[in-house]
Amino acid sequence: MNQKTWSVTIVIDDYKSAETGAQTRARARLRTSGPATFVGTGLARRNPHHTDVPEVSDDMAAARALADLSHQLYEAAAQREAVTRSALTSARAADVPRPEPAAHEMPVDPMARAGARHLYSPGHSSTRTSR
């Protein structure tokens, strides 16, 4: 079985901004088994009345960092999948010759199949009147 180990490290610190005041910041760093590294960031405002429970803002900031990390990982996977699909489609189009359709496989005009050519013959009105 092929097993890979990815690890996430979350670093939580205080972040002060003149605009928002004291906040808790979390950075979640994902190290994959390859060269890719992703970092998600989350902020949580610390309620000055809850100084005895700093874990609340730690939890919120960490959750937001992990959500940010999740979105980045999803976007990277979607981009990789799109590139892979495009490359496979191009390779298949280049490698596989497409046969010309046989005469019996040629598309038929649906109007001709329904006999529509007779509807527009001279002397025939194709407009309907409602009562």
Side-chain angles (χ1 to χ4, degrees), residues 9-13 25-29:
T9 304
I10 301 175
V11 176
I12 300 171
D13 62 6
R25 177 178 57 188
R27 286 175 288 197
R29 180 180 302 274

Side-chain angles (χ1 to χ4, degrees), residues 80-97:
R80 184 174 294 154
E81 192 271 339
V83 168
T84 302
R85 180 181 294 167
S86 176
L88 286 174
T89 302
S90 296
R92 286 183 185 144
D95 291 342
V96 179

Side-chain angles (χ1 to χ4, degrees), residues 3 52 58 69 121 123:
Q3 185 175 357
D52 55 336
D58 291 354
L69 179 65
S121 61

